Amino acid sequence: MAPRQDSPFRSADMSMVQLYVSNEIGREVVTALGELGLCQFRDLNEDVSAFQRTFTQEIRRLDNVERQLRYFYTQMEKAGISLRKLDLDVERLSTPSTSEIDELSERSQKLEQRISALNDSYETLKKREGDLTEWRWVLREAGSFFDRAHGNVEEIRASTDDDDAPLLSDVEHNHSAPDAERSFSGMNIGFVAGVINRDRIGAFERILWRTLRGNLYMNQSEIPEPLIDPTNNEAINKNVFVIFAHGREILAKIRKISESMGADVYNVDENSDLRRDQINEVNNRLQDVQNVLRNTQATLEAELNQISQSLSAWMVLVTKEKAVYNTLNLFSYDRARRTLIAEGWCPTNDLPLIRSTLQDVTNRAGLSVPSIINEIRTNKKPPTYLKTNKFTEGFQTIVNAYGTATYQEVNPAMPVIVTFPFLFAVMFGDFGHAVIMLAAALAMIYWERSLKKVTFELFAMIFYGRYIALVMAVFSIFTGLIYNDVFSKSMTVFPSAWEFKKPDGFKDGTTVTATLNDHGYRYPFGLDWAWHGTDNDLLFSNSYKMKMSIILGWAHMTYSLCFSYINARHFKKPIDIWGNFIPGMIFFQSIFGYLVICIIYKWSVDWQAKGAEPPGLLNMLIYMFLQPGFIDKPLYPGQSAVQKALLLLAVIQVPILLFLKPYYLRWEHNRARGKGYRGIGETAHVSALDGDDETRPNGNSLDESDGVAMISQNIDEEHEEFEFSEVMIHQVIHTIEFCLNCVSHTASYLRLWALSLAHQQLSVVLWNMTLGNALATTGPLGVIMIVICFYMWFFLTIAILVCMEGTSAMLHSLRLAWVESFSKFAEFNGWPFQPFSFKSMLEESEDLTEYLAPERGCDLNCSLHDRPDSIGKHLVAAFHLEILQPHRSHQLVHRDLDSRHGDADLLDLAVGTVADRDAAHDQVGCHEMRDLLVGLFDFLASVVAVGLGVAHLGELLDGAEGALEGPFD
Amino acid sequence: MAQGYSVFIGLVVVVALCIASWFLSPKGENQVLWRSSLILSVVSCYLMWAITFLAQLHPLIEPRKALTEEFWKH
């Protein structure tokens, strides 16, 4: 059988393949397949721990290289050198050979040593420099203190030793100035000089005071410039201190205390000449150190600069190489350990490509042993691989956010491409807002290449959905024209079918009722503009929009239900057609299909010409169930009999839905039993390795047949024992769910009406509150007001009506797709195909983000699982927020019921029975109020939803990280 | 022009459009996508137009509003 062409209609055909590759070219083969990105390998060594696998050694080595590269990166950050980022769009890295990797590892080893040596010496030098600087400060400050102090020596002496003052005083008097400096030692006064952290000076003083009981003289001064601590590059303010005290022991004590307080004590000579020499020496040394420092720094920077050119490329290479070895670890060996055996899933249609790639690699290596690729039969469920292009990608993502479709079932994203934007447009319908949206979407598509690089999360999300926005905007333009709304105003393209005729005795403020033309002309496209701004336009548009919601809902659900037929036929399960699809369809059509026909019939009848009272359809439907056969107001002759028949038809479907499928399955099972077939309890020989086979004795995996890893596989996990009760319960649940959902889902489509009403009313309110007021004002004030109000109106229109209402409508449309539509046909039992691909790996890797130029969007035909669908996650969250407001949808139903109980049922109102009309008139004000409230509520709900969404962004991102785990992590 | 039977004219046009999109869809992997999307859009748009048209075909209520003298001036 020739393989079917892959299409977006179903997931691609998948094959389980086995690869036999010579040991020597294992790495090259995996690299080539990684570039191709079409194989998802299975783990054949599940029972082997990570440490015992074959290539753990290589991975460790690469880990080390990676660590070294990271070390370079941190060093570069420290030195403020920017990295040359790798743009994978522009550059392609050729596949490195093993020797190149070895070279890289050696080189990074050497570089690491060199850089750490440079770093060490740099730090030592920095420390030396700091010390010298401090010393210089001490010398300078203490020196100036000494110079000041010497002038007072005599007075000090005189005051302390009165007795022998004259004697010594004479002596000193005769001495020249230099000798006077000796006087401190003569007085037996010593001193300690040093530098201490400014914060500690208070404590330092206090401690000294207490230990020495005040027997000291302390002088200090602040160093005006902050000093740099070389260990952590922080600036510290320090003080120079000089402490004078009496006696050697006390001095020693002071020294100890200052050291314990973290002060640095420096040697300062009392003699000013010596001090000058010291200062000179210190200055010289400082200069030397600074020279060396500069050189070291320059060398380090040069080295890092050189590294920065190729660091990203190295990082990518190492990451790829690691991934290759991780993948190789999944493989198994033959007995002689000469051949690698791999197993995995590949798209059937891509097998030739994989085969030729293998051939190429083998030929290039010049090996005589061919690489073999072997398709094997398995009863395992293949992964779901839905190919996308840049247009379908966004749609596929919003479907995948709900779940992964079952292998080969109708891809739910197919109808979503139209239904999702269309239902959105029904709620968003406003020509003006749609044009704004279209402009934004077109701009994003036109500048696709440059906008792709924007990393701002929120924008990236919108950008990701640019094609969805485009389709939504196009449909919104259409619905806007149908609703005849342009920023809440209407257009008069065609002549109206209504005419306001001036009544006799007309006064300002008289209410005039329009009359319909009598030659059968109707407004050809959309809503007649005569309704705009009338007292009862809401009555009309509510009736119209409600009925439209029901009809569109019915069409959407019928359409979705038809896919279940296609699925059943594809999976060759005729019982699903006879037991589920047909009775379900009949049930649905005999109630809601009938309702839709009645709606259309009622529209097409000219009730006024007929002179009959038009019936209320909601009442009709309710009486159809409560009192079968009772007709309140007849819609057509024979209605009673038709309704009874339809009801009977619907009721009969319930037992068919309930019992046909389970009993058929039981009969089929028993018949198979009767013919002597048994359930496949035993293991069957399927050439698929499986780790969860516990009956297999250890170690025999290699000697079963032909030296190939043929392992028996337990397949009863797929063929479960037939159990009637389980099938029955499942079917009962399905039946109840289906019947109830027919009703509740139809009611759920009323959100189309509610949201489009809210949107329209909100834009009317916005217009009236801003521009409407301004346009009514004349004179210079009017000019100013128009300018101000225009900006207000414009920005509020974009913020509230386009962005917020758009988000809200999108979420509701999403719900209609996910719940109302998908529940009719899709199973969502699949598991995603995540091929081993370098491209997706590099895109998803969080570690590499700082090394790579940002990349957004995908090329044609890249797998939808290539990238984290964080957008999907956001949608799910936002959706749950909407779902978590059940009062909202309940409110819809409630309002529906409320209005029914009150005599102002909207459907009936529109029908406009003459008796009700006056009562309805009184209700109009009330309706408007309520609609305004609905609009406000809708707005508030959107604000809350968006706010919460932003608040939970962090959480969501964490969640997205979980999804980032690659297939071989 | 724009009489009750226009709904059927529209239907004919839409069926023609559907047939055209079925046969004119570009060949290749995405043919099914083109067909489904085009036909679905055409049908949905027709549905909406037809509903709007039918709802106004035999209206049960008339537009009614309070007018000022200005209204009659043009």
Side-chain angles (χ1 to χ4, degrees), chain A residues 499-503 506-508 510 512-513, chain B residues 65 67-74:
Chain A
E499 200 187 347
F500 287 98
K501 286 187 181 122
K502 197 171 183 176
F506 177 78
K507 284 188 301 198
D508 260 14
T510 311
V512 182
T513 304
Chain B
K65 63 176 164 187
L67 296 173
T68 52
E69 198 63 56
E70 234 172 282
F71 182 84
W72 311 105
K73 286 198 179 133
H74 48 78

Side-chain angles (χ1 to χ4, degrees), chain A residues 186-444:
Chain A
M187 281 157 57
N188 206 8
I189 288 175
F191 65 93
V192 175
V195 172
I196 193 167
N197 204 331
R198 196 169 293 167
D199 307 335
R200 295 202 186 148
I201 198 86
F204 184 51
E205 263 181 284
R206 223 169 297 132
I207 288 171
L208 280 176
W209 188 259
R210 281 185 196 154
T211 27
L212 305 180
R213 302 203 172 82
N215 286 325
L216 81 160
Y217 176 73
M218 183 168 171
N219 200 337
Q220 49 160 324
S221 64
E222 291 180 358
I223 300 178
E225 67 188 43
L227 298 167
I228 307 288
D229 184 356
T231 48
N232 51 9
N233 267 342
E234 276 174 20
I236 303 168
N237 286 315
K238 286 191 172 183
N239 278 13
V240 173
F241 62 87
V242 189
I243 302 162
F244 296 90
H246 209 314
R248 198 162 294 159
E249 275 162 35
I250 290 181
L251 283 176
K253 221 183 224 171
I254 293 172
R255 215 166 250 130
K256 258 188 202 151
I257 288 170
S258 43
E259 268 159 22
S260 67
M261 288 292 290
D264 296 306
V265 174
Y266 291 96
N267 185 18
V268 177
D269 211 285
E270 226 181 283
N271 187 304
S272 67
D273 282 346
L274 285 178
R275 229 168 36 230
R276 202 167 302 126
D277 290 349
Q278 260 179 337
I279 286 183
N280 276 340
E281 196 194 326
V282 166
N283 276 343
N284 284 340
R285 272 160 69 183
L286 199 58
Q287 204 132 41
D288 287 350
V289 167
Q290 273 164 349
N291 275 342
V292 180
L293 252 181
R294 250 197 306 281
N295 284 339
T296 317
Q297 174 118 30
T299 324
L300 187 64
E301 257 168 32
E303 202 77 62
L304 285 175
N305 255 328
Q306 211 184 355
I307 295 174
S308 77
Q309 289 304 308
S310 33
L311 185 63
S312 340
W314 293 351
M315 201 69 191
V316 169
L317 286 187
V318 169
T319 316
K320 274 186 176 181
E321 198 67 9
K322 245 174 77 184
V324 167
Y325 282 117
N326 270 321
T327 310
L328 280 171
N329 266 343
L330 303 176
F331 294 3
S332 166
Y333 275 105
D334 71 333
R335 212 176 338 184
R337 293 186 80 80
R338 253 194 234 116
T339 315
L340 277 169
I341 301 169
E343 251 189 38
W345 291 105
C346 303
T348 312
N349 283 341
D350 290 321
L351 276 180
L353 184 60
I354 295 168
R355 205 165 271 146
S356 66
T357 311
L358 277 184
Q359 197 63 44
D360 275 358
V361 175
T362 320
N363 289 347
R364 229 183 296 138
L367 279 186
S368 52
V369 195
S371 306
I372 301 164
I373 180 164
N374 197 7
E375 208 175 325
I376 53 177
R377 289 175 170 280
T378 176
N379 54 356
K380 284 217 166 286
K381 198 172 69 176
T384 308
Y385 176 38
L386 292 158
K387 290 186 178 175
T388 53
N389 53 38
K390 62 180 176 180
F391 176 72
T392 54
E393 191 191 1
F395 294 100
Q396 192 71 59
T397 307
I398 60 177
V399 171
N400 282 27
Y402 183 72
T404 308
T406 308
Y407 175 65
Q408 296 257 304
E409 82 176 347
V410 172
N411 179 8
M414 273 274 296
V416 160
I417 289 173
V418 174
T419 54
F420 171 76
F422 184 76
L423 292 177
F424 165 86
V426 172
M427 294 182 267
F428 191 73
D430 186 300
F431 184 78
H433 302 156
V435 166
I436 293 178
M437 200 168 156
L438 183 69
L442 284 177
M444 278 192 287

Side-chain angles (χ1 to χ4, degrees), chain A residues 732-834:
Chain A
V732 167
I733 292 172
H734 174 80
T735 307
I736 294 175
E737 212 174 49
F738 182 84
C739 296
L740 291 182
N741 280 354
C742 277
V743 181
S744 68
H745 285 179
T746 309
S748 168
Y749 278 93
L750 286 175
R751 73 185 67 232
L752 293 178
W753 156 65
L755 265 100
S756 89
L757 179 69
H759 185 84
Q760 194 228 348
Q761 289 298 305
L762 212 59
S763 60
V764 170
V765 168
L766 184 68
W767 178 276
N768 288 344
M769 279 166 63
T770 52
L771 266 183
N773 274 338
L775 289 171
T777 318
T778 50
L781 183 68
V783 174
I784 296 166
M785 260 181 86
I786 281 181
V787 173
I788 295 172
C789 284
F790 172 77
Y791 283 110
M792 242 171 82
W793 169 81
F794 186 71
F795 286 111
L796 285 177
T797 294
I798 288 184
I800 297 173
L801 293 173
V802 179
C803 294
M804 281 187 162
E805 280 285 313
T807 314
S808 161
M810 207 184 76
L811 289 173
H812 281 278
S813 176
L814 195 64
R815 187 214 136 93
L816 290 178
W818 281 0
V819 180
E820 273 74 22
S821 167
F822 292 175
S823 69
K824 299 284 182 296
F825 67 99
E827 257 185 332
F828 285 107
N829 259 338
W831 57 289
F833 178 56
Q834 289 170 319

Side-chain angles (χ1 to χ4, degrees), chain A residues 390 441 444-445 448 461-471 857-858:
Chain A
K390 62 180 176 180
M444 278 192 287
I445 290 166
E448 204 165 49
M461 245 175 81
I462 298 169
F463 179 75
Y464 190 73
R466 62 197 180 281
Y467 287 99
I468 306 180
L470 177 75
V471 187
C858 273

